Amino acid sequence: MLGGLGQLARPDAVSSLRFLSEFVTPPSASSAASIVNPPSTPDTKSTTSTSTTTTTTTTVPTATTATTKRQKLPLPGSGPSRVLDCGAGIGRVTKQVLIKAFDHVDLVENSAIFVKQAREEYLNAEIESGKVCEVRCSGLQNVEFEGTEWDGRFDVIWCQWVLGHLTEDHLITFFNRCKKGLKPGGMIFVKENNAKIGIVIDDEDSSMTRSDTVWKEMFVKSGLKLLREEVQKGFPSGLFAVKMYALEPMP
C-alpha cells in the first residue's frame, strides 16, 4: 500500500519491472518493454542524484547479483507464464506491474472488501480478458499450495508490502508452502520496507518492519537463496527504505 502517496506508484512500478526483467521474459505482446528499457536520456551521468528523473531512469541501480546466471522464466516447455500476487489489495501491483510481465496473474488478499473491488471494478476488464484468473480471499498464513490447484502452478510468487503482518513462524511456514506452489525453476520476490536496525512494530496494526539483516535471516531459515537485492529509488526521504529481493529455493 502507498499510504496515500499515489505519486509513488510509477517509480514503484518501473523499479519492479526492471528488477523482474533480470529474471523474467515478458509476453511478446506486453507493453512492458518500453518501461523496462526506456530510451536513454542525454547527460544522465551529469544529473544530480536527487533528480526524480535520474532515480526512475537509472538502468544499473545499486544491487547484489548472483555470480551464476540462471535461465529466464518461463522455462521452455513450462507453458504460459503465471504469477501469484500476495496481499494484492485491489490489484494495483497486478495492473501496473505483473500483468505486463506475465501471461496470467492470480491474486490472494485477506480483505473481502478489496477482493470485491478487484473483481467487480479495478480488475474487471483484466478478468474478462483472461489475463487475471483467480482472485482469492484468504490470509497468507492460511494459503495452501501442495495438493491444491495451486500446486506447482507459478513461475513467480510476488509479495509486496504484506509480509510485515506475519509473525516469524507464520512467515517461515508461508515461504516453505510457497515452494510447493512454484514450477521447476520458479522464484519468490519480496518487496518490503526495511527498518535500519532490528524490527520496528507499528503501534496501530502491530505490523513489523524488519531490517535487511532480519529479512536475510528469515530467508535462510526458510531455505531460500538470495539471488539479487536492490533498493527502490525515487521515493522521498523520511520514509522507510524499500528493498526488493529475488529468491529461489535452496537445493
Side-chain angles (χ1 to χ4, degrees):
M1 303 293 285
L2 293 174
L5 299 175
Q7 71 273 22
L8 303 184
R10 178 165 174 77
D12 171 56
V14 169
S15 292
S16 295
L17 280 166
R18 284 185 176 143
F19 193 67
L20 272 169
S21 73
E22 295 289 328
F23 302 96
V24 176
T25 300
S28 57
S30 172
S31 60
S34 63
I35 299 175
V36 174
N37 300 300
S40 58
T41 303
D43 300 323
T44 299
K45 293 182 180 179
S46 63
T47 306
T48 60
S49 59
T50 57
S51 166
T52 302
T53 301
T54 300
T55 55
T56 58
T57 59
T58 302
T59 56
V60 188
T62 303
T64 302
T65 308
T67 55
T68 304
K69 295 287 186 180
R70 78 187 313 275
Q71 194 167 5
K72 282 193 174 186
L73 299 171
L75 298 181
S78 66
S81 60
R82 186 178 293 271
V83 60
L84 176 63
D85 185 358
C86 295
I90 66 169
R92 181 189 66 84
V93 172
T94 285
K95 185 184 283 281
Q96 297 184 8
V97 178
L98 302 178
I99 208 167
K100 299 177 181 179
F102 297 89
D103 292 300
H104 301 291
V105 187
D106 292 327
L107 296 80
V108 58
E109 165 55 42
N110 188 53
S111 167
I113 294 174
F114 288 162
V115 167
K116 185 175 187 293
Q117 188 174 352
R119 288 173 177 164
E120 298 180 4
E121 300 174 34
Y122 192 69
L123 293 176
N124 181 260
E126 290 79 5
I127 292 171
E128 291 293 328
S129 71
K131 288 285 290 185
V132 171
C133 299
E134 185 173 358
V135 183
R136 181 180 295 186
C137 187
S138 174
L140 296 188
Q141 70 273 19
N142 299 318
V143 173
E144 295 284 354
F145 296 90
E146 189 173 18
T148 75
E149 66 274 19
W150 282 4
D151 195 329
R153 181 179 177 91
F154 302 104
D155 297 276
V156 163
I157 295 176
W158 181 272
C159 308
Q160 181 168 345
W161 289 326
V162 65
L163 299 181
H165 295 285
L166 298 182
T167 65
E168 177 177 330
D169 288 345
H170 281 157
L171 180 61
I172 293 171
T173 299
F174 171 70
F175 279 144
N176 279 296
R177 287 176 177 170
C178 284
K179 296 174 192 175
K180 301 296 184 180
L182 295 174
K183 297 179 185 178
M187 298 178 64
I188 298 170
F189 286 78
V190 171
K191 186 168 187 177
E192 291 284 348
N193 293 344
N194 275 203
K196 291 183 177 179
I197 300 174
I199 300 174
V200 176
I201 299 178
D202 189 288
D203 292 333
E204 293 185 5
D205 63 9
S206 299
S207 63
M208 292 169 283
T209 301
R210 298 174 168 95
S211 67
D212 179 66
T213 299
V214 173
W215 276 117
K216 289 173 180 175
E217 290 173 355
M218 294 299 97
F219 300 151
V220 171
K221 289 179 180 180
S222 304
L224 297 174
K225 178 182 178 182
L226 178 62
L227 298 181
R228 185 176 175 90
E229 59 186 288
E230 182 176 309
V231 177
Q232 167 73 48
K233 304 295 183 182
F235 280 15
S237 60
L239 302 178
F240 282 118
V242 176
K243 286 195 75 172
M244 296 175 281
Y245 303 94
L247 307 146
E248 68 178 5
M250 291 181 183

